[in-house]
Amino acid sequence: MFYAEWDKLLSLSHPDGAPNSAGNGSVLYNCLLPQAKTIVIETLRSVRETLSCDPEFTHVKAFNVFGFDLMVDADLVVKLIEVNSSPAVAETLLPKLADDLVSIQLETYFDSPTAEAGEAVSNNGWEVIFDPIDSEAKECDETATLP
């Protein structure tokens, strides 16, 4: 299920919208995804010194892809289940993910502007939400939408 379908289902089960949104907010975009991003950012910050892609702690410029398994409880609170260092990626998402990973890496070696936390890298819907080089990475205002 992709974001658009999930958002539609959430709007049916929560017709008043996201909590604290005065009834006009998307539960997914205004409540769940911001919580998920915070969990991802704080988790990565907590292990920043052990990330093999952090140039401050290693001489190699590289990247990691992690899979975060999250759940949502009945009170719309997002909780971390586990983090996978070798995540399985849905077959339909893999080509777009690979394309964006290559774009991000190439942009670090050429003069094209790199995406900062919160910016979409391409039209594929993926975005950088944590950059270990920026130790003060901020939460993003804009949420990624997956195709």
Side-chain angles (χ1 to χ4, degrees), residues 17-125:
N20 304 319
S21 68
N24 59 2
S26 162
V27 173
L28 178 63
Y29 292 99
N30 295 334
C31 179
L32 302 180
L33 288 177
Q35 289 180 69
K37 285 183 179 187
T38 298
I39 289 169
V40 169
I41 290 167
E42 293 306 316
T43 302
L44 292 172
R45 278 184 179 161
S46 72
V47 296
R48 180 174 181 255
E49 293 181 13
T50 64
L51 294 175
S52 61
C53 63
D54 193 331
E56 185 174 330
F57 302 102
T58 180
H59 67 284
V60 178
K61 203 170 205 181
F63 62 88
N64 294 100
V65 176
F66 297 103
F68 282 75
D69 292 346
L70 305 166
M71 64 176 268
V72 179
D73 70 14
D75 296 320
L76 298 176
V77 175
V78 178
K79 301 191 184 235
L80 177 64
I81 299 171
E82 67 177 348
V83 181
N84 298 297
S85 61
S86 297
V89 178
E91 190 174 315
T92 57
L93 299 177
L94 190 56
K96 294 175 182 183
L97 173 62
D99 183 50
D100 280 355
L101 287 174
V102 170
S103 296
I104 291 167
Q105 283 300 103
L106 288 177
E107 287 177 0
T108 64
Y109 293 101
F110 298 101
D111 290 335
S112 60
T114 58
E116 295 187 21
E119 293 182 19
V121 175
S122 74
N123 292 328
N124 289 329

